[in-house]
Every structure is written in structure tokens, then in C-alpha cells.
Amino acid sequence: MTALSRDVVIIGSGAGGGTVASRVARLAAQGHSVLVLEQGPRFRDDEFTGQEVEMAGALYADRGGFLTADGTMTLAFARGYGGSTIVYTGTSLTAPERVIRRWDVPGLTYADVVERSRRYLVENNVHLLAPDRLNDNNQLFLEGAGRAGFRAEQFPLNLKGCRGSSLCNLGCPNAAKQGTNRVQLPNAERQGVEVVTRAEAQRVNERGVTVRVTPVPAGAKGLPSEWAPGDYDITAKLVVVAGGAIGTPSLLLRSRLPGLPHGVGRRFTAHPALVLVGQHPRPISNDVGHPKSFFVDRAAEERFVLETCMYFPFVTAKSLTGFGPDHGILMRDFSRLQMILVLACDRAIPGNRVTVDRLGRPVVHYRYTPEVIDAIVHATRAAAKIFFAAGTLRVHAPPADPPLIEAADRERLDELIQPRHFRAGRISISSAHLMGGAAMGRTSADSVTDSWGRVHGVPWLRVADASLFPDALEINPYVTVMALADRVADGLLSDFRSGTL
Amino acid sequence: MTRQLELFLRVVDALSSLRYRRSLGDSSLDQRVRLLHSLERAPLLLIRRGVWGLRTLVFMGHYTQPSVVDRIGYRARAAGWDARR
């Protein structure tokens, strides 16, 4: 065990950890030591090949196959320099006012979230794509939504030099997406922040963090760690945990810290999502151009959001139910497929939570409530209407039986798509919006941290990621994660200034 | 995982023999599809999960082969729009 000492240790380098690192980098410039630990590796730009299985294996936890405890939902989160910002699509929305009000976290105002979000919209070059960069998959969603009576909005995106590879979820091969791996972490490193990759935090304790640095596995992508492989005991004045909504609660739980609030792991939400596919009579442009340009927000009224999307052949095949000819009829010609992602806006409930097993590994318990199933059903009906209004011949709707709905039946959508056809385990449900597990709130009786990410009763410990969310955000979360991490960094800087630390 | 999958395949084979007096490999395409469809809708979550896991592995083996990807017309490239002009 190698013993080291740092002033501040940040665990995780995604939207939360990367933001904190960038904001507190001035401490490094002033002579304090700031260390970022990232479990995954740094990737070279030429390692983003866009090959589906190869990149999923390199970037995602459990090669993209991390499942909830009952095996009915796949949770997607990345490991690497930049965390999940390597694999998101860069959709940059500010938190809805109604959600921040409903969270009711003392000290956290909507105005503050907006102001801090704005900083990152500018810093990450967020803008709307020009109309000539939108592919048919997106244009047809816009047109179909309009004809079906829905208001589609354009996603602001954090891109610089996007070539339209459509491969965002496998890591941008053109370094266009402005994730923390492109903006905040390089900025922090320029100012003297130390980032160590392939470094997994085993436990946090009153003195700091125990860390295991691993060598590069044979044949694996990514650079070797900046440190020699082995175990490290790092003492620190302050530890910021930003390992995401799975990593943060599981680290805190296996650390068994005295005085840790009982709410760790609770209030987990996920925006359960499913991919719907419609088939056009002619080829459309779908696997070129940014995949996610428009959305329909029905969260406030019907608790769902529809987003354009375009996935890769294996994920698409997995998302369709059925076998043989019913399955092949859609998969045989990818160029005719239009896709819509359906997201249900779930709510934190007592049973949905993160725990750890005997070895300290995360276990996610998730139950689909009747409200979530209803939201998925209503969202599927709405998406099917959009597909048919856009001219598709048939639509694959998993909560229908049979799932393939022909255009001739487009007037019977409400009858065909029913909650009773939603069978967990049959339908491929996934989530890339993992939230909660170390929620902000008033006291240790109802939450884990205050609105500055300070863990109740543990003054040297902060949380700065999506696990702070007390409930689902109802939009794509990364900008809000950055806004909250910005607050955590401000609190930390203030503590340094006042000499509290 | 491998043992669970082997066991599940044996169960599916046994069910095929019970229903059609033929193993899954010897039954017709129509019989196979019907059996798997019924298992996909099974009341028991364990069965549905088994079918989902099996088909996920099969699709991973099939739809990631370059020849299959080419045949179905998937053409995403790093060069994006430039590659289409």
C-alpha cells in the first residue's frame, strides 16, 4: 500500500467530477493539491472506431449489459476520462422550473440552477444544429409530430466540428462532442489538477480514500494509468464523490462510514426508456447526421418524453420483441427505419434503490409502478401516431400484442397498445438517465446531503453528481448535474477561503 | 452465466419435445417461432428473462458481423455527411 496525501480528492470525472475539477483548479494554481480519480482509462482519439460491440465493451460498465437486480432493465453508464459524457449525445437542456420547485431543497432555487446552467451552455458551445445538418430521421419526427398534434422542440447540442457520424453513443470519433473529456478536464489539468485514470476508489474513510490502480488488460483500449498499478492510501482534507448514481451510493455504502445518513442508495430514478421503430416504404437518411435533434415534452401533462434516436444494428435488434420473420421484416433493411426513444418520467419510491452485495458491488432494485407503465403506454401510442403521420408502413410497439402494427390499424392504437401487454423481461427497457441515491434535502432524516452537496454529519465529504437529485429530472440531466456540481465547487472554495478546511 | 444459459437451452429443448415431439433444432421454423413466442410471454419472469438473454446473445453474434451489417444497409461512418457526398 502506497501512502500519499492530497488536499482535495475528486472521485469520478464525468459531468459532476469534471465540473468540480475545473472550478476548483484555481486551488491547484494556488499551491493546493487536487486529485481526480477515474475508474476507466483515457482513450486516444483514434480508438473511437464506432464498432458497436468493441466500443460498448471499452466504454460501458459491464460492456453495456449492467442489469437491474431482477434483470428487466439495462443501465447504461460509461467509465473513462470524462465518464458518461464520452457517450451521451450532448443534448443540453436546463432543468424545468416545476421540477426544481417539486424537489423543494432548502437553498436551491430555480434561478440559481438556471444561472449556473447558462455558464456551461456557453462553455460547452451549446447551439442548435442548422437545418441542413438534420437527417430524415429527425425531420420526419418533426413533420410527424406536427401532423399528429404534438409540439416538437429542437435539442440544443454541445458540439464543435460535428461531422454527423451518428456514433455519439459509442464515443465521438471526431472529438466534436464537448464533454468534460474535451472541456473541463483538460482545463483543470492545464491549471495543475492531477487526473489519474484506471484508479478505482475502494472505500472512503475519515482520512481519505483507498484506491486500486489497475494495469491495462491484455488487448484493451486506452492508455495505461498515470500511476503504477497497486493499492494506494490517500489522505485528504476533503473528498468529493462524483461516481454517478450507481457508483456514488455503492461507494458510500461499502465504506460503512460512521454517521452516514440512512438515505444512501434511496430515491433512485431512471427515466425507463424503450426504443420504438417504424418502417418507411423507401430509404431515409438515419445512420448519418446527429441522432438526436428533436423531442416532444409531455412530462408535465402525461409523464413522458419522446426523443429522436438512432441506434446501431445489435441494439436495434435487441429492442425489437419477437423472432423469425416478424423480427426480420424490420431488420432486413436498416435504411428504411425511423426510431423514437420513449422515456417515462418515474418518481422516487421506497423500493427503488441502490444497495451493495457481499463484495461491495452495486445492486440496483427497480420496480415498474403502474404510473410508469401507463406513461410508457401513453408515450408509445403518441410515438406510433407520429410514426404513421410521418408515413411509416408499420410500427413496432413493444407494449402491443402483436407488437407489429400496420398502417391500416393506425386508428386502433389505443386499443392495440395496452398496459396489460407490458411484460417486464419481454420488452427491452433501458436507462441512461440514472439519478438519485445520495439525495439533497433538509436533514439526515430525509436526505443524504444539503443543497451544496455536503453530506449531513460528515463535513469532509461532498457529493457532486446525478445522485444528488431527490427525484427524476424529467429531461436529459447532464447540464443540471454540471450546475449542481458548480454549486458544490463554490461551497468547497468558500470553505477553503474561510479556513474551515 | 454459461451454466444458466445451457440449462435454459435444455429446458427450451425439453419443452419443444413435449409440444412437438422434436427438439428445438429439429422443429420447423414455424414451430420454433411459436414456441419462443409463447415463452417470451410466459407468466414466470425467470422464463421471460431467459428468452430475452438468449435472443440478446444471438443478436449480438449475428448483427455485429460486418457482412450482416453491410447486408442490412447500415452505413454509419466517422466521416458522417462527407462520406455520403
Side-chain angles (χ1 to χ4, degrees):
Chain A
M1 181 82 77
T2 305
L4 297 171
S5 174
R6 297 290 185 272
D7 291 315
V8 178
V9 175
I10 300 164
I11 299 168
S13 69
T19 300
V20 176
S22 180
R23 283 298 316 284
V24 306
R26 68 184 74 165
L27 291 176
Q30 291 163 9
H32 299 286
S33 51
V34 180
L35 169 67
V36 177
L37 300 169
E38 167 52 52
Q39 187 174 352
R42 286 179 201 253
F43 295 99
R44 296 193 317 266
D45 287 350
D46 64 357
E47 289 183 302
F48 294 103
T49 61
Q51 297 299 312
E52 186 173 8
V53 169
E54 176 189 308
M55 292 314 302
L59 296 170
Y60 288 91
D62 283 3
R63 309 182 70 80
F66 188 101
L67 295 171
T68 49
D70 71 356
T72 62
M73 181 158 55
T74 307
L75 308 181
F77 54 104
R79 286 171 177 164
Y81 180 86
S84 290
T85 72
I86 308 172
V87 296
Y88 64 12
T89 48
T91 51
S92 306
L93 296 176
T94 304
E97 184 170 5
R98 68 172 189 283
V99 172
I100 302 301
R101 286 189 188 283
R102 196 183 72 231
W103 283 2
D104 192 24
V105 176
L108 182 72
T109 65
Y110 175 65
D112 187 57
V113 172
V114 169
E115 190 184 327
R116 291 176 193 274
S117 298
R118 196 171 292 137
R119 172 181 297 170
Y120 294 98
L121 299 181
V122 173
E123 190 168 295
N124 294 348
N125 196 42
V126 172
H127 62 282
L128 298 176
L129 277 185
D132 66 344
R133 305 300 283 181
L134 303 173
N135 65 15
D136 293 342
N137 185 56
N138 283 290
Q139 295 278 16
L140 287 163
F141 179 86
L142 179 66
E143 292 165 21
R147 288 187 201 123
F150 295 99
R151 191 171 71 91
E153 299 170 70
Q154 190 170 357
F155 271 119
L157 301 168
N158 65 357
L159 308 172
K160 199 178 271 184
C162 175
R163 300 180 70 189
S165 75
S166 83
L167 297 166
C168 310
N169 296 131
L170 300 176
C172 181
N174 303 310
K177 220 166 32 180
Q178 301 299 293
T180 57
N181 57 327
R182 302 291 173 197
V183 182
Q184 286 76 26
L185 291 169
N187 174 52
E189 288 189 283
R190 278 192 296 273
Q191 296 182 66
V193 172
E194 183 182 20
V195 181
V196 177
T197 56
R198 298 190 188 276
E200 184 180 6
Q202 308 278 299
R203 280 179 172 70
V204 290
N205 56 50
E206 294 87 341
R207 297 185 321 279
V209 188
T210 55
V211 179
R212 176 159 295 166
V213 173
T214 51
V216 183
K221 286 178 182 287
L223 299 171
S225 175
E226 295 74 7
W227 288 359
D231 290 342
Y232 293 79
D233 189 4
I234 304 168
T235 56
K237 290 178 184 163
L238 193 136
V239 176
V240 181
V241 186
I246 309 293
T248 289
S250 57
L251 173 61
L252 297 179
L253 287 167
R254 70 172 173 265
S255 297
R256 298 174 182 276
L257 288 166
L260 201 64
H262 296 300
V264 175
R266 297 176 193 272
R267 308 192 74 80
F268 176 81
T269 53
H271 292 166
L274 70 157
V275 180
L276 304 189
V277 176
Q279 187 181 48
H280 282 272
R282 57 175 175 79
I284 62 171
S285 57
N286 55 15
D287 53 7
V288 62
H290 190 277
K292 198 179 282 291
S293 297
F294 291 100
F295 65 105
V296 166
D297 184 356
R298 298 290 300 164
E301 301 84 2
E302 298 180 272
R303 294 174 66 168
F304 70 77
V305 176
L306 306 177
E307 300 183 350
T308 49
C309 67
M310 183 51 54
Y311 291 102
F312 320 104
F314 161 51
V315 169
T316 304
K318 191 177 83 161
S319 300
L320 304 171
T321 54
F323 305 87
D326 282 357
H327 191 270
I329 197 171
L330 293 172
M331 285 305 296
R332 71 184 173 207
D333 190 352
F334 199 93
S335 69
R336 290 165 57 193
L337 302 184
Q338 184 185 347
M339 293 188 202
I340 297 176
L341 186 71
V342 156
L343 297 107
C345 300
D346 52 347
R347 291 279 167 84
I349 61 169
N352 290 351
R353 58 185 294 205
V354 180
T355 62
V356 288
D357 65 13
R358 280 183 307 163
L359 298 173
R361 295 173 302 200
V363 179
V364 179
H365 306 267
Y366 193 91
R367 180 173 64 83
Y368 302 98
T369 62
E371 291 78 17
V372 164
I373 294 170
D374 270 350
I376 287 174
V377 165
H378 282 96
T380 302
R381 289 173 183 162
K385 285 174 190 162
I386 292 172
F387 276 130
F388 285 126
T392 58
L393 298 172
R394 52 183 65 89
V395 169
H396 181 271
D401 197 7
L404 213 51
I405 301 174
E406 300 292 329
D409 290 323
R410 61 189 291 180
E411 301 304 325
R412 298 173 54 220
L413 294 175
D414 290 357
E415 171 195 339
L416 296 171
I417 303 168
Q418 290 281 340
R420 69 174 184 277
H421 300 314
F422 179 94
R423 282 276 174 92
R426 181 176 82 93
I427 298 175
S428 276
I429 305 280
S430 62
S431 165
H433 297 174
L434 309 172
M435 300 163 281
M440 298 176 290
R442 293 166 198 277
T443 68
S444 59
D446 70 359
S447 58
V448 176
T449 80
D450 67 10
S451 70
W452 299 92
R454 295 187 181 98
V455 175
H456 299 302
V458 190
W460 52 269
L461 186 60
R462 310 287 157 90
V463 172
D465 58 26
S467 57
L468 289 170
F469 294 6
D471 209 340
L473 186 67
E474 303 185 356
I475 57 152
N476 309 52
Y478 100 83
V479 172
T480 308
V481 173
M482 296 187 96
L484 295 180
D486 189 90
R487 278 176 67 87
V488 175
D490 267 356
L492 191 158
L493 290 170
S494 164
D495 288 350
F496 260 86
R497 272 195 303 270
S498 66
T500 312
L501 293 170
Chain B
M1 183 62 150
T2 311
R3 264 182 47 201
Q4 287 173 319
L5 198 63
E6 274 179 22
L7 181 67
F8 184 73
L9 278 169
R10 279 192 198 145
V11 170
V12 173
D13 236 9
L15 289 169
S16 176
S17 301
L18 273 175
R19 188 183 279 197
Y20 304 119
R21 297 174 192 278
R22 289 174 182 177
S23 69
L24 189 71
D26 291 334
S27 10
S28 68
L29 173 65
D30 183 50
Q31 286 172 331
R32 270 182 266 170
V33 168
R34 267 189 287 153
L35 177 66
L36 291 171
H37 267 306
S38 67
L39 294 178
E40 195 182 38
R41 292 163 171 75
L44 207 59
L45 173 60
L46 199 63
I47 301 286
R48 298 200 299 273
R49 272 182 57 181
V51 175
W52 185 85
L54 186 62
R55 67 196 294 284
T56 296
L57 286 176
V58 169
F59 291 148
M60 182 160 44
H62 183 68
Y63 284 107
T64 55
Q65 291 177 42
S67 60
V68 175
V69 169
D70 283 349
R71 192 169 69 236
I72 65 174
Y74 177 74
R75 299 185 298 157
R77 300 286 181 274
W81 290 110
D82 294 339
R84 302 291 170 97
R85 291 183 177 125

